[in-house]
Amino acid sequence: MRKSIRAGWISAALLLILLVSSACTAVPAAAPAASEAAAEESSAEPARLVVAQSVDVQGLEPSNVNSRAESNIFQHMYATLFEITASGAIVPYLAESYTVSESGMEMTFKLREGLTCHDGEPLTAEDVAYTFQRAADDANGFTGNTAGFVLDAIQYQDARVESDLEVTIVMGRYSSPALGLISEAYIHCKDSYSAMSLEDAAANPIGSGPYRFVEWVKDDYVLLEKTPDFTLREVAYDEIQWKVIPEASTRTAELIAGNVDIITNVPPDQHEAINNSGNAGVTGVAGTRRMYVGFNQRAMFDDSEGGQAIKNTAVRVALQYAVDVPTICKTLLAFECERASSMVNPPNNNTNLVAYPYDPAKAEELLDAAGYPRKEDGTRFDITFMAGRGRYLNDVAVVQALAQYLTDVGLNVDLQVMDWGSEFVPALRAHEVGPLYFVGTGGGTWSAVYDMSDLSAPTAATNYTEWNNAEWFELWDQLSDARDPESEKVITDKMLEVMYNDPPWLFLYFQPDFYGIAGDVNWQPRRDEIVDLTTASPQ
Amino acid sequence: MTTYLVRRVLQTFVVILGVTLLSFFALFLAGDPTYLYVSERATTEEVAATRAKLGFDRPIHEQYGRYLVGLVTFDLGNSLRSRTPAFELVLERMPATLELTLFAILFATLLAIPIGILSATRRGTPLDGGIMLFAMFGQSMPSFWLGIMLILFVGLGLRWLPISGHVPVLEPLLSGDLPKALANLPDALRHLILPGVTLGVFSLARNARLVRSSMLEVLSQDYVTTAKAKGLSRFTVVMRHAFRNSLIPFVTIIGLEFGFLLSGVVVTETVFSWPGVGRLVFNAINQRDIPVVQAAVVMFSLLFVLLNLAVDVIYTQLDPRIRLS
């Protein structure tokens, strides 16, 4: 008995040691063999590009795409009528041309001939109309970008088939960004989708783009392969694997180890490790997200010193000089940025406007002149500054720096950093953050009006400041009469000048985006956060 | 025994009801979930329309009532994000989480027992001091830090083990594909070691201390002195007479351990990109995907309660003096 107990323990210990050691030694033993085999068969194996993002898709329903991480994958599976290029141009894709009716409320698209969906069915005007009708059908309950934003933004009324290759989108009003917005709708074929339940459709994507769906292992990866007969794109990789790696340092380790080719959202503190690895490098681009401090001018803040003060245009202008934006970018975001002079992304901005420089002495002088001198305790007025935590690049450090800059010119800042999802967003949407708040709103490279639509009305959902400059909104109304880019540009430039002189925001920077890219991959990231891998190729 | 079991099963229902009630209202305390399902440019009308689509416009007690009716009929609703049945989502990820937690429990248990015994039988020696120092470190290290250190040194530096990812074994096994499960096993083990160790180190350290103190207490009992006086070998005294009795507090903790490890998998699964329930729930909480959170809560509660019931039954086998009633 005694012997059997002792033998049992020894056996268990040996088994454990054996399991652990065999597992640990498996890699060095197998790796060379695997790499040799891979080298021998490299000509036969498909070229695979592995990309790691932080979040998985929630489903594979093209009308329910809710995040950039999802749309990055979907845009490779689904084509759109037109597409927005990296430089912001809107160019034909599935459609070869479009016309706008005299009223400006109908856009008719002419499709290219010979298009097919991934199920082999011809892609016709009926499929395009079905895409919009399906997204707009309340019974489907979609809340994604197409259903929840694009259709509302263009005031979608109907989609009408004119012929096999012509389809008309009917809108509630003319809107110059309509073409760009419609270019966000993923076109899918009626035959397959009308035959599927919503649950089946969310698991079996049948696309129309350069890559087709192969496999989705939830919370692990999505695998796509090149669509053999897709002629609208030349792509270099046979397969793209979108891996989900939530933790940034794990993504970095996988990139350095050579297990992934591209990683997104690289935090500044990991740039050095990647750049020094010899296997990969970090590429940063100034994104299109406009980061700013809003001056909320709602009456609910009137009973506070700060709420009263920021109603004064002179105070809002003075505070523009108080903040050293390039230093914030350099030290906290590891990026050499230029300060924004308006809410519009280059190249659509008013180039005559020069960003406010950092000049704290001038800020103090202007605050004195505005009637807010320093009091005996050295402060000018108390003000609350609200921000969410964890949404933007190094957001907490940035707001702390901003609060310090404002303190330096005499403001007594009460910085309140809140949970992003549960506290800050509901208050922001209700326009109840402030009087100062830090936020970033998405923009684009393709339309000044699109960027400016945050402030389409004094009570617009995204006009969190409820800024109400009469001249701005008069000019906004004039935009609907401007049907050519030149006359639109004259108006938008004028509007941006109005905003510059009566700022509703403390203009900061366009948030940089950082990507880690393996040394053997040729790929240039875009400014608009879209990860377009059709332009990637082996080095 | 039967009466006891029936009573415990009835208590299980009450516990699950209480847990679902708390988690349901806690999610609503964290703000209106509708805002997470609309574009940042959505108008007030669009927000209201989405709220109605998602059913959040109904009174909260009505929403909870509907949920309970669904629970009774095993229909926990669809995920608000993915549109697939919430319970299926949880079940899909459960094998990966079970693999991880079972590995961590095995790691923490199989090593803790010999380490704890060794430490107790060598009390006061440098070996005992070293083991207790390790135990203190093991309980002090945050799992996310340990995970990242293991990735950097073992995964990236030494290249001994994979940095992240998962190779399934339980999932093919449960679906009847034994050859695939066996073929995956070696690679699955390689992928399991780093996250399993990360998850299990705290438990290993705590269990080793527990076994040590329990063993020391038993070793000071009169019957152990008698056994020694009879001339029995040290091994026999420890393993035959002291070991079994020292296990009672350890078995208690094993039942709770499972719940503890399940709560710890969120961090470990995130660091190692492990596609389990922990990450699913973490994302669902962030997105206020209430059906998914509730499905996971029900599943975890059920597992936890049943495991503790099993532990109570095992008690009777370990210690004949204990009778369930």
Side-chain angles (χ1 to χ4, degrees):
Chain A
M1 180 67 178
R2 190 192 312 167
K3 277 184 183 171
S4 67
I5 293 172
R6 192 194 299 260
W9 274 106
I10 292 169
S11 307
L14 281 175
L15 184 66
L16 191 69
I17 292 165
L18 196 67
L19 276 174
V20 172
S21 59
S22 67
C24 284
T25 52
V27 178
S35 61
E36 280 164 24
E40 282 171 16
E41 294 172 19
S42 60
S43 57
E45 282 184 4
R48 177 181 286 189
L49 186 68
V50 183
V51 185
Q53 300 192 114
S54 58
V55 291
D56 195 13
V57 294
Q58 293 295 320
L60 296 166
E61 166 55 59
S63 295
N64 234 7
V65 177
N66 276 294
S67 68
R68 175 56 69 201
E70 286 182 317
S71 65
N72 281 339
I73 298 172
F74 275 79
Q75 75 192 354
H76 290 84
M77 286 194 286
Y78 293 87
T80 52
L81 290 174
F82 272 64
E83 69 169 337
I84 299 162
T85 66
S87 63
I90 303 176
V91 298
Y93 197 6
L94 290 177
E96 60 182 24
S97 62
Y98 76 100
T99 55
V100 183
S101 68
E102 205 165 303
S103 68
M105 288 158 56
E106 294 192 354
M107 294 182 82
T108 300
F109 293 87
K110 185 172 185 209
L111 299 179
R112 295 175 197 272
E113 288 186 28
L115 299 170
T116 54
C117 279
H118 294 170
D119 58 2
E121 292 294 315
L123 195 162
T124 66
E126 198 178 357
D127 298 308
V128 176
Y130 173 74
T131 295
F132 284 88
Q133 289 159 356
R134 181 171 178 270
D137 187 349
D138 277 343
N140 291 329
F142 295 134
T143 58
N145 184 59
T146 307
F149 172 53
V150 170
L151 299 186
D152 291 319
I154 63 171
Q155 293 188 9
Y156 168 84
Q157 305 292 310
D158 194 12
R160 195 172 64 228
V161 176
E162 306 290 353
S163 69
D164 257 10
L165 296 178
E166 285 183 312
V167 60
T168 297
I169 309 293
V170 184
M171 302 172 292
R173 61 173 168 78
Y174 168 76
S175 151
S176 81
L179 181 62
L181 291 167
I182 288 170
S183 302
E184 293 182 9
Y186 300 120
I187 305 301
H188 41 283
C189 278
K190 182 177 180 180
D191 285 355
S192 291
Y193 275 88
S194 57
M196 285 193 283
S197 67
L198 289 175
E199 287 75 23
D200 287 343
N204 302 291
I206 295 165
S208 53
Y211 284 90
R212 64 186 180 189
F213 175 72
V214 177
E215 186 182 23
W216 176 29
V217 178
K218 289 176 184 171
D219 277 342
D220 201 349
Y221 64 84
V222 174
L223 182 62
L224 310 179
E225 67 178 4
K226 187 156 79 174
T227 311
D229 49 359
F230 191 81
T231 55
L232 302 178
R233 279 283 175 288
E234 277 293 322
V235 293
Y237 287 96
D238 301 314
E239 293 179 345
I240 304 175
Q241 186 180 31
W242 298 84
K243 291 195 71 145
V244 186
I245 304 181
E247 170 57 34
S249 51
T250 312
R251 286 199 299 276
T252 298
E254 290 282 27
L255 177 71
I256 294 172
N259 299 327
V260 300
D261 300 305
I262 296 173
I263 61 172
T264 61
N265 300 333
V266 184
D269 63 312
Q270 288 170 28
H271 292 186
E272 200 180 335
I274 294 173
N275 288 329
N276 292 340
S277 69
N279 299 338
V282 175
T283 301
V285 285
T288 50
R289 185 165 294 278
R290 292 80 48 85
M291 306 306 300
Y292 68 89
V293 174
F295 299 113
N296 195 335
Q297 295 167 56
R298 283 190 73 183
M300 64 182 289
F301 299 112
D302 282 357
D303 57 355
S304 69
E305 273 187 317
Q308 280 289 344
I310 57 131
K311 287 205 158 184
N312 185 335
T313 301
V315 171
R316 282 182 268 130
V317 171
L319 295 181
Q320 307 286 337
Y321 293 97
V323 176
D324 186 355
V325 176
T327 299
I328 288 176
C329 288
K330 193 175 173 182
T331 55
L332 299 178
L333 308 179
F335 195 74
E336 300 280 350
C337 72
E338 283 183 25
R339 185 174 183 177
S341 61
S342 75
M343 67 189 302
V344 172
N345 275 280
N348 307 309
N349 56 329
N350 181 343
T351 49
N352 294 322
L353 300 176
V354 178
Y356 286 101
Y358 173 53
D359 188 347
K362 183 161 185 179
E364 297 228 30
E365 187 185 313
L366 291 174
L367 285 168
D368 288 343
Y372 290 94
R374 284 185 185 264
K375 293 181 283 196
E376 278 184 5
D377 63 357
T379 65
R380 298 173 189 276
F381 54 82
D382 299 342
I383 194 159
T384 300
F385 181 13
M386 295 181 180
R389 181 191 296 111
R391 172 66 177 84
Y392 307 113
L393 188 63
N394 259 0
D395 47 17
V396 174
V398 169
V399 293
Q400 285 171 340
L402 290 168
Q404 185 57 53
Y405 279 121
L406 297 175
T407 303
D408 289 347
V409 296
L411 274 63
N412 185 22
V413 179
D414 173 20
L415 179 61
Q416 297 180 6
V417 181
M418 311 162 159
D419 177 70
W420 171 260
S422 62
E423 287 185 278
F424 189 78
V425 170
L428 179 74
R429 294 294 174 89
H431 297 190
E432 289 172 356
V433 287
L436 298 181
Y437 64 89
F438 175 75
V439 85
T441 56
T445 50
W446 51 277
S447 165
V449 178
Y450 177 75
D451 279 4
M452 293 158 71
S453 61
D454 281 12
L455 307 179
S456 58
T459 54
T462 44
N463 185 358
Y464 307 123
T465 64
E466 300 207 354
W467 180 65
N468 190 1
N469 181 296
E471 192 178 359
W472 169 279
F473 290 109
E474 273 171 29
L475 289 163
W476 183 265
D477 289 340
Q478 288 176 26
L479 275 174
S480 57
D481 297 327
R483 298 294 171 85
D484 62 277
E486 291 75 24
S487 50
E488 186 177 285
K489 174 75 174 157
V490 171
I491 299 172
T492 57
D493 277 359
K494 176 68 184 160
M495 290 174 76
L496 294 178
E497 194 180 329
V498 170
M499 175 185 251
Y500 184 86
N501 294 320
D502 178 25
W505 298 356
L506 199 167
F507 304 115
L508 297 175
Y509 53 88
F510 298 101
Q511 178 170 269
D513 300 314
F514 297 106
Y515 300 85
I517 305 168
D520 56 357
V521 172
N522 240 333
W523 181 70
Q524 188 59 40
R526 293 166 53 133
R527 282 194 58 210
D528 53 9
E529 300 177 8
I530 293 174
V531 177
D532 177 9
L533 300 176
T534 61
T535 60
S537 60
Q539 193 79 273
Chain B
M1 174 74 105
T2 311
T3 314
Y4 174 79
L5 287 177
V6 170
R7 204 172 68 216
R8 284 295 298 267
V9 169
L10 289 175
Q11 282 173 355
T12 301
F13 287 116
V14 177
V15 168
I16 289 175
L17 188 70
V19 169
T20 58
L21 187 70
L22 280 175
S23 60
F24 193 87
F25 285 96
L27 282 170
F28 278 93
L29 284 177
D32 184 353
T34 313
Y35 289 112
L36 298 165
Y37 293 85
V38 293
S39 152
E40 63 187 9
R41 296 180 187 227
T43 62
T44 312
E45 292 74 29
E46 287 159 14
V47 172
T50 305
R51 189 177 287 121
K53 274 184 194 175
L54 298 173
F56 294 141
D57 58 334
R58 298 174 189 280
I60 191 164
H61 62 271
E62 188 185 324
Q63 291 181 49
Y64 184 65
R66 280 166 176 255
Y67 164 74
L68 281 186
V69 170
L71 185 63
V72 172
T73 56
F74 297 102
D75 176 12
L76 294 175
N78 283 355
S79 158
L80 301 177
R81 281 283 184 197
S82 69
R83 304 310 193 87
T84 44
F87 204 62
E88 270 180 30
L89 285 175
V90 175
L91 283 180
E92 279 171 5
R93 276 131 171 118
M94 193 48 98
T97 296
L98 285 178
E99 285 168 10
L100 186 57
T101 45
L102 288 175
F103 184 92
I105 281 184
L106 281 176
F107 166 74
T109 308
L110 294 181
L111 284 181
I113 293 172
I115 288 174
I117 293 173
L118 198 64
S119 188
T121 53
R122 301 282 189 279
R123 186 184 187 186
T125 64
L127 180 68
D128 179 34
I131 288 173
M132 286 304 101
L133 191 67
F134 159 77
M136 194 183 72
F137 275 122
Q139 286 190 279
S140 311
M141 280 185 293
S143 58
F144 68 88
W145 181 84
L146 177 64
I148 290 170
M149 290 303 112
L150 287 174
I151 283 174
L152 289 180
F153 291 108
V154 183
L156 190 58
L158 299 169
R159 307 274 171 129
W160 282 358
L161 292 166
I163 290 167
S164 67
H166 166 247
V167 176
V169 172
L170 269 183
E171 189 261 322
L173 197 64
L174 293 172
S175 57
D177 193 349
L178 183 63
K180 187 179 177 188
L182 288 175
N184 283 356
L185 189 59
D187 207 18
L189 269 174
R190 288 178 47 226
H191 282 83
L192 260 171
I193 291 174
L194 292 189
V197 169
T198 302
L199 185 62
V201 152
F202 182 91
S203 301
L204 168 63
R206 186 177 57 186
N207 293 348
R209 290 177 64 160
L210 189 75
V211 171
R212 178 183 179 271
S213 61
S214 177
M215 181 59 84
L216 283 174
E217 192 184 327
V218 172
L219 286 175
S220 65
Q221 299 288 316
D222 290 345
Y223 71 88
V224 174
T225 311
T226 307
K228 284 178 188 169
K230 283 166 70 180
L232 296 176
S233 74
R234 186 186 177 90
F235 185 83
T236 306
V237 170
V238 171
M239 297 311 296
R240 261 188 94 182
H241 296 278
F243 176 57
R244 181 169 160 157
N245 289 333
S246 72
L247 274 187
I248 293 172
F250 185 60
V251 171
T252 313
I253 206 102
I254 293 286
L256 299 170
E257 195 78 59
F258 193 78
F260 170 77
L261 289 175
L262 281 177
S263 65
V265 293
V266 175
V267 172
T268 309
E269 287 183 355
T270 302
V271 169
F272 289 95
S273 192
W274 194 265
V277 184
R279 257 173 70 196
L280 177 76
V281 175
F282 180 72
N283 291 333
I285 290 170
N286 279 336
Q287 294 161 349
R288 310 289 188 280
D289 196 342
I290 292 164
V292 174
V293 177
Q294 293 291 28
V297 163
V298 168
M299 175 71 92
F300 278 2
S301 313
L302 204 59
L303 273 173
F304 192 67
V305 170
L306 291 178
L307 269 165
N308 276 286
L309 180 61
V311 166
D312 287 351
V313 173
I314 291 171
Y315 263 175
T316 60
Q317 305 304 311
L318 280 174
D319 188 348
R321 292 171 301 179
I322 298 171
R323 288 285 171 267
L324 302 177
S325 58

